[in-house]
Amino acid sequence: MSDGEHALVDTKGKFVQVVSDGRKRNDIEWLPGRILLSNKRLVLATNDGKRTIPLSKVSSVTASQMNQPLAQVDSYIKVQAGRNVTLISAKKADEFQEKLYSTLLDQTVVLINHPAVKGGVVQDGGWEKGRLKLDGDCINLAIASGTFVELDIDDVGTVESKEKTIRGDERPLLEVEHTIEGTSVETHISGTPRHVSLIEGLVRQGEQRNIADDVDLSDKETQVLMALYSGISPFKIPDFVDMEIEEVEDVYDRLMEADILEPVRTRREVQLEARGRSIASDAMADQ
């Protein structure tokens, strides 16, 4: 390896190039081989040779759980570098993905607006510079003003991607919904197209895990969800929605069975799961 280069992951797996120089390939075949990741490049090696992908050229990484039975692949990540796209299924999948994202994103400087929305209410904060670092399934954002934001990927409810004028320039923007101390917030992140694309691939994983399926909720269950989403304390919900305590607790039980709420400390204290926040957000938008 060259000076300053060091190995991060050395594992086996399968891989296939599905787009070459911008053209979709029809003769694709998953190849078994060795997958080596350093802090500068990704090497995919077979008995017939090897292919090197410089990390500086990687513009997006997307994870998929789609089963590929003929190739005996349960999951893979899609890596785009320039006009080429490669699917990679590593045996040490979690370690490989974590190291890849960390190498691509650690110490990246981005623009952050936090909290841009809190309890469904738009806040007056502005954009600040911040530095990003990954710690397992958590994105840590150290903002210049001294605020520190922990964004747990498993806690991500919804993600919106758009373009917006920020500090006088048209920039890509991610609106990421998650929780801080049980309250739904949105953290908005902007930066270069490459960095925003890489961050989007990471936070979308949480969104997909917590996507809200169609759920048939009663009016009372919807009222409770919207109240919790707005930041009302679980202990004040009965008075807020004009329901008896026992009736509210029955609602809690049904919503916990549906993985929409989770208990925190006592029976009557609960907080919304990411799936529940997604449902509550949709319900409020329909009001």
Side-chain angles (χ1 to χ4, degrees):
M1 292 187 176
S2 60
D3 291 343
E5 184 177 12
H6 55 272
L8 299 172
V9 178
D10 185 348
T11 186
K12 294 181 179 180
K14 293 185 177 183
F15 37 83
V16 58
Q17 187 173 1
V18 293
V19 178
S20 178
D21 197 24
R23 296 182 178 180
K24 189 173 181 179
R25 297 180 58 184
N26 296 319
D27 57 335
I28 63 172
E29 178 185 0
W30 286 86
L31 301 174
R34 188 178 174 193
I35 301 168
L36 299 97
L37 174 67
S38 77
N39 60 317
K40 293 187 177 182
R41 56 183 168 162
L42 174 61
V43 179
L44 307 174
T46 68
N47 292 333
D48 296 326
K50 67 180 181 181
R51 188 157 61 88
T52 298
I53 303 174
L55 296 187
S56 60
K57 294 187 178 297
V58 174
S59 57
S60 71
V61 177
T62 309
S64 174
Q65 296 297 319
M66 185 180 296
N67 188 31
Q68 297 283 331
L70 296 180
Q72 297 181 336
V73 171
D74 293 328
S75 63
Y76 59 83
I77 61 171
K78 181 172 70 173
V79 177
Q80 180 167 351
R83 290 162 56 85
N84 299 319
V85 177
T86 304
L87 310 183
I88 303 171
S89 179
K91 286 193 173 180
K92 297 180 180 178
D94 291 343
E95 179 187 0
F96 173 68
Q97 181 175 305
E98 180 181 335
K99 291 291 186 182
L100 179 59
Y101 270 118
S102 294
T103 305
L104 292 168
L105 286 173
D106 268 357
Q107 304 307 315
T108 296
V109 175
V110 293
L111 290 173
I112 302 167
N113 182 357
H114 173 86
V117 180
K118 184 175 182 180
V121 179
V122 176
Q123 304 297 294
D124 295 329
W127 290 94
E128 300 180 83
K129 285 187 177 180
R131 192 173 297 274
L132 182 152
K133 183 173 178 57
L134 298 183
D135 182 10
D137 277 343
C138 188
I139 299 175
N140 295 324
L141 300 169
I143 303 176
S145 61
T147 303
F148 184 77
V149 181
E150 290 186 353
L151 201 166
D152 187 343
I153 295 167
D154 284 335
D155 183 49
V156 171
T158 58
V159 180
E160 292 288 340
S161 176
K162 57 184 65 175
E163 296 279 332
K164 187 176 181 180
T165 300
I166 300 171
R167 291 189 170 182
D169 294 318
E170 192 76 6
R171 301 175 188 264
L173 163 68
L174 289 178
E175 300 178 350
V176 185
E177 190 275 340
H178 58 114
T179 59
I180 298 292
E181 296 180 348
T183 299
S184 171
V185 301
E186 283 186 18
T187 296
H188 292 182
I189 303 171
S190 184
T192 67
R194 176 175 182 261
H195 288 151
V196 172
S197 175
L198 289 168
I199 297 168
E200 181 177 3
L202 190 55
V203 295
R204 289 278 184 199
Q205 294 181 43
E207 181 190 44
Q208 289 301 312
R209 294 170 196 163
N210 299 313
I211 193 166
D213 302 323
D214 289 337
V215 180
D216 187 16
L217 298 180
S218 68
D219 290 342
K220 291 181 178 179
E221 289 167 344
T222 301
Q223 288 178 41
V224 170
L225 270 186
M226 290 191 294
L228 289 169
Y229 184 80
S230 300
I232 305 300
S233 166
F235 297 105
K236 297 180 180 178
I237 291 294
D239 290 336
F240 188 82
V241 298
D242 193 23
M243 293 166 58
E244 296 294 329
I245 293 175
E246 293 78 7
E247 193 174 10
V248 171
E249 293 205 350
D250 287 341
V251 169
Y252 287 167
D253 286 338
R254 290 194 296 273
L255 296 179
M256 282 189 283
E257 287 176 4
D259 293 328
I260 294 171
L261 295 182
E262 64 175 345
V264 180
R265 283 187 292 272
T266 64
R267 174 176 171 80
R268 288 186 57 222
E269 186 167 3
V270 296
Q271 67 182 25
L272 284 167
E273 293 270 35
R275 183 167 181 259
R277 299 196 307 275
S278 180
I279 295 170
S281 178
D282 290 344
M284 293 180 75
D286 291 339
Q287 296 297 304

